[in-house]
Amino acid sequence: MLRIIGATDKGLVRYVNEDRFAGEVFSPELAYGVVCDGMGGENAGRVASAIACEEIRRMLESSCRPGMDQRSVYMILESAIATANAMVYDKAEQDPEAMRGMGTTVCLAVIAGGNAFLAHVGDSRAYLLRGGELTCLTKDHTLARMLLDQGKLTPEELLHHPDKNRLMSSLTQAVGVGPHTEVDYTSCRMEPGDALLLCSDGLYSMLDPVTLRECLRQAIFQDDGKCLIDAANSRGGRDNITAVILTLEENGEKENG
């Protein structure tokens, strides 16, 4: 049985919440979740994330059906993000003075037939919680990640780099900033008791991996994502905070706690 939990908050520093999320459980074996984190001046980021999230929600809820094979799921993911990208880009072109350059991250997951299919652009992340171990499934599209992959920085050098925050927050890919965007796809098997966390950087950047894991376990047990929000805010809440959790419950898990 699949279950979904979602929560978002503007944090303690930002004036508006530019994050958006959506998700739905269609059947015991089929569900989706998405997190979008907007970027751009004034209200542009909020507009970008709202457009992308709504378009992805519309396409997923009209296209997902039980019994889909892997090829069908990936076609839906690809089409949803491509359409969202076009709509955000077109909106920016209509009002270039206010909205040119706006965009949004997207971290999107469809769970179908016991597998999680992921698509992501930007630095929102997907994590898998299994047997007490938390594993990041996505790779950030940031300048920092690019320099690490190219061997121009080591993890130790990045940790002490004077421009670390800028490198880690500078996106190399985002939905809507151009007519096309590059999307990373991956998948994993979902086992009973597993949980999939989709989140914006306002969550994971505020919590060390152990705290993130323990807060996630608490959120699942309480069936409420507020503890994740509270944990990020208690450490400064420097950005908007959003989390979507998709769990594959073991038989009797919810009743027995």
Side-chain angles (χ1 to χ4, degrees), residues 11-158:
L12 303 179
V13 176
R14 301 295 179 90
Y15 291 106
V16 298
N17 192 346
E18 295 186 332
D19 289 0
R20 292 292 184 274
F21 75 90
E24 185 169 332
V25 175
F26 300 109
S27 75
E29 295 187 348
L30 179 63
Y32 86 95
V34 61
V35 168
C36 299
D37 179 358
M39 50 179 274
E42 298 297 329
N43 288 319
R46 182 165 57 175
V47 172
S49 61
I51 292 172
C53 190
E54 174 58 24
E55 184 58 26
I56 291 168
R57 182 203 65 78
R58 185 189 67 79
M59 293 196 69
L60 269 289
E61 293 184 5
S62 65
S63 302
C64 284
R65 63 191 185 280
M68 292 188 301
D69 59 17
Q70 176 177 312
R71 181 173 178 273
S72 298
V73 175
Y74 278 127
M75 287 180 63
I76 293 170
L77 294 177
E78 182 179 2
S79 178
I81 293 183
T83 304
N85 187 84
M87 293 185 70
V88 174
Y89 181 73
D90 289 347
K91 180 69 173 179
E93 290 294 294
Q94 294 168 16
D95 190 1
E97 185 174 340
M99 296 187 177
R100 176 166 289 167
M102 75 176 180
T104 182
T105 71
V106 170
C107 191
L108 169 61
V110 172
I111 298 179
N115 293 299
F117 301 94
L118 301 167
H120 98 281
V121 183
D123 63 353
S124 293
R125 291 181 180 177
Y127 291 87
L128 176 68
L129 178 65
R130 172 177 292 164
E133 295 294 325
L134 187 65
T135 304
C136 186
L137 301 176
T138 52
K139 184 181 289 187
D140 298 343
H141 296 144
T142 60
L143 188 54
R145 183 73 255 177
M146 184 179 72
L147 294 173
L148 288 170
D149 289 345
Q150 293 174 348
K152 295 180 179 179
L153 279 180
T154 66
E156 182 70 16
E157 288 171 339
L158 176 61

Side-chain angles (χ1 to χ4, degrees), residues 144-251:
R145 183 73 255 177
M146 184 179 72
L147 294 173
L148 288 170
D149 289 345
Q150 293 174 348
K152 295 180 179 179
L153 279 180
T154 66
E156 182 70 16
E157 288 171 339
L158 176 61
L159 185 64
H160 301 289
H161 199 286
D163 285 336
K164 182 181 75 170
N165 290 337
R166 181 184 66 83
L167 294 176
M168 294 183 68
S169 62
S170 297
L171 298 184
T172 56
Q173 293 291 332
V175 166
V177 298
H180 306 285
T181 191
E182 294 184 15
V183 185
D184 282 352
Y185 299 95
T186 189
S187 65
C188 68
R189 185 70 184 169
M190 291 287 288
E191 300 177 357
D194 284 355
L196 192 66
L197 168 67
L198 314 178
C199 62
S200 60
D201 64 332
L203 178 66
Y204 69 75
S205 66
M206 301 305 299
L207 305 180
D208 64 83
V210 173
T211 302
L212 179 59
R213 181 193 67 195
E214 293 309 306
C215 289
L216 175 57
R217 294 174 69 179
Q218 181 181 355
I220 295 166
F221 179 75
Q222 296 178 343
D223 197 20
D224 188 347
K226 186 176 182 295
C227 56
L228 286 164
I229 303 296
D230 290 345
N233 277 331
S234 72
R235 289 158 176 79
R238 292 193 299 267
D239 202 350
N240 305 148
I241 310 156
T242 301
V244 170
I245 307 164
L246 294 159
T247 64
L248 180 58
E249 295 177 354
E250 300 174 332
N251 290 336

